[in-house]
Amino acid sequence: MDLLSLKEHHARTLLIYYRWDVDRVFNVFADRGKAWLYSAAGLSVRSSEDLNSSQSSDEVTCQICFEDVHANESTIMDCGHCFCNNCWTEHFIVKINEGQSRRITCMAHECYAICDEENVRNLVSGRDPHVAEKFDRFLLESYIEDNKKVKWCPSVPHCGNAIRVECDEYCEVQCACGVQFCFSCSSEAHSPCSCLMWKLWTKKCQDESETVNWIKVNTKYCPKCYKPVEKNGGCNLVRCVCGQPFCWLCGGATGVSHTWNSIEGHTCGRYKEDELENAERAKKQLWRYSHYYNQFKAHTDSLKLEATLQDRLQQKIVILEAKNLESRDFSWVTDGFNRLFRSRRILSYSYPFAYYMFGDDLFKNAMTQKEREIKQNLFEDQQQQLQANIEKLSMVLEQPFADWEERDVLNTRLQIIALSTVTDNLCKKLYDCIESDLLAPLEEATHSIAPYRSMGVEKASEFP
């Protein structure tokens, strides 16, 4: 408003068009000038004197309904077009109910100017206050829904909060309600997994696609009861548990009697070798998926169990404080738990990342087989080092050190501080490996990940 000498509703029209990116507005203004900036956004800025001079008579003819009305019963917009209030009001109500409140254009033919929101509000509120409230709500929500740096918190039930970030949209944030989420895709915080990888992984886990694929290749459906049947012998005449015999080669129902050359009541082609290859390929893919899924689930389960550890650690701190030990600072207990929790979560999501990074789904032709093996070994070595130290930290925190002598408590304190530092450094190394050695050479912008934050997911603060 200050830079361009605009009224509030004109400034909002510009910001809505440029998705609330102030820097972009200024850049367009500097590169192309004020006239282009305004016309692209459908903004007409005319002075009150110009508008009044264009409406000289006391009576006007509305070019929509062709009724003659008094000038007081008509409204002229910033673009200079004037119609009767009834037509304007009907136009506005229709657009608002269609969800187009943010950019209601003029009714004139081939005029794309945005209507003055104050005129919209005054005319609609006189006819339907409920629609006028909806119009105001849509204008306010445009700041969130049209702004790439602001998003609603995905909490269920919804807490009513929205989060604004000041820097990169590839980050993870924590709402004031406690929900942590990825700002880029609004799903749960999932780094070091990229948004696309996480989307594919959750869909795969929900659909159990590999299991279904293996069943499809390794079983045939009974033609009578339609249950899947697995062949456990060499003969191609198979009998379902329901008693129905059928041909394994084509799935057709048959009689019971058969010879080396034929099956009673049935004839079909020979067994094909590629079916065996497909079965082996499906089995290998299932085993690979099962490995990564089991590791992912094991660590997420540990994460849930370790969440209850926090209350037990608080009880240990209370006991230690009551002992009047020489050291009165027990923040190392809480810091150790926070490090354990953050690191365990990172380790959990590193397995879906590895599944797609070293598989054929996304990067089949991005690396040679030799490069894939070298990078996978490097990543898995770091992954295993991180896992080993996480387990050590978890084990030390689980110990009943609150009941020990002061000397043993001090030794435990040193252990927890050392393991926390090592685990933090290993997390940094794992992220650096992913960003510099794995993703950077691929030049895949779609696989950007939220940067590692040693102190955990950034917590949102409320506006003053």
Side-chain angles (χ1 to χ4, degrees), residues 183-417:
F183 190 83
S184 178
C185 65
S186 296
S187 62
E188 63 180 271
H190 53 72
S191 70
C193 216
S194 72
C195 296
L196 177 58
M197 289 176 179
W198 182 245
K199 180 180 178 181
L200 293 173
W201 179 259
T202 52
K203 186 177 186 306
K204 178 179 284 290
C205 293
Q206 289 170 359
D207 296 345
E208 295 183 346
S209 55
E210 292 295 344
T211 303
V212 172
N213 185 36
W214 189 87
I215 291 174
K216 181 179 178 181
V217 173
N218 289 273
T219 65
K220 297 286 178 67
Y221 289 97
C222 171
K224 180 180 179 181
C225 67
Y226 301 104
K227 291 180 180 178
V229 178
E230 183 180 10
K231 187 161 75 80
N232 59 3
C235 180
N236 286 321
L237 177 64
V238 181
R239 186 191 296 268
C240 178
V241 292
C242 72
Q244 174 65 49
F246 65 94
C247 175
W248 179 255
L249 299 179
C250 68
T254 69
V256 179
S257 302
H258 68 287
T259 65
W260 288 108
N261 300 320
S262 65
I263 300 175
E264 181 186 8
H266 179 75
T267 178
C268 70
R270 295 179 180 275
Y271 179 78
K272 297 180 180 178
E273 186 65 27
D274 59 351
E275 291 188 12
L276 179 60
E277 295 176 1
N278 292 336
E280 290 299 323
R281 189 181 301 112
K283 187 181 295 185
K284 183 179 178 181
Q285 291 172 354
L286 175 60
W287 286 345
R288 182 175 184 274
Y289 167 71
S290 297
H291 166 76
Y292 286 102
Y293 177 78
N294 290 335
Q295 293 290 329
F296 168 74
K297 190 174 188 308
H299 289 293
T300 51
D301 288 345
S302 295
L303 199 61
K304 294 174 184 176
L305 293 172
E306 287 167 346
T308 63
L309 177 62
Q310 188 172 21
D311 293 335
R312 301 200 301 274
L313 290 176
Q314 288 299 326
Q315 295 172 8
K316 292 179 183 179
I317 292 175
V318 172
I319 295 172
L320 289 170
E321 288 175 340
K323 285 186 171 184
N324 293 322
L325 300 177
E326 184 177 343
S327 175
R328 305 289 296 170
D329 181 14
F330 301 106
S331 60
W332 50 271
V333 180
T334 306
D335 293 343
F337 168 77
N338 290 335
R339 178 60 55 209
L340 170 66
F341 198 79
R342 294 167 194 151
S343 303
R344 179 79 74 180
R345 189 179 65 83
I346 289 169
L347 181 63
S348 302
Y349 293 109
S350 71
Y351 285 99
F353 169 83
Y355 176 80
Y356 287 106
M357 184 72 233
F358 306 114
D360 294 334
D361 297 78
L362 298 177
F363 307 115
K364 183 176 182 179
N365 300 317
M367 298 174 279
T368 65
Q369 186 61 32
K370 186 66 175 177
E371 289 175 334
R372 191 187 305 273
E373 291 177 3
I374 293 173
K375 292 184 176 182
Q376 184 170 355
N377 289 333
L378 173 66
F379 178 81
E380 289 178 349
D381 286 344
Q382 296 191 10
Q383 199 178 39
Q384 293 308 305
Q385 290 181 44
L386 177 60
Q387 179 175 333
N389 282 274
I390 286 174
E391 301 303 345
K392 290 178 185 177
L393 181 58
S394 178
M395 181 181 67
V396 175
L397 287 169
E398 290 279 3
Q399 291 177 342
F401 54 83
D403 301 327
W404 295 350
E405 298 294 330
E406 182 171 5
R407 183 182 62 182
D408 296 327
V409 172
L410 291 176
N411 289 334
T412 303
R413 172 181 175 272
L414 293 176
Q415 277 187 289
I416 291 177
I417 292 174

Side-chain angles (χ1 to χ4, degrees), residues 166-185:
E166 299 292 346
C167 51
D168 190 4
E169 63 180 293
Y170 289 105
C171 63
E172 293 173 338
V173 294
Q174 178 175 316
C175 177
C177 72
V179 171
Q180 296 183 354
F181 66 98
C182 170
F183 190 83
S184 178
C185 65

Side-chain angles (χ1 to χ4, degrees), residues 70 94 106 449:
H70 192 272
V94 169
C106 175
I449 63 172

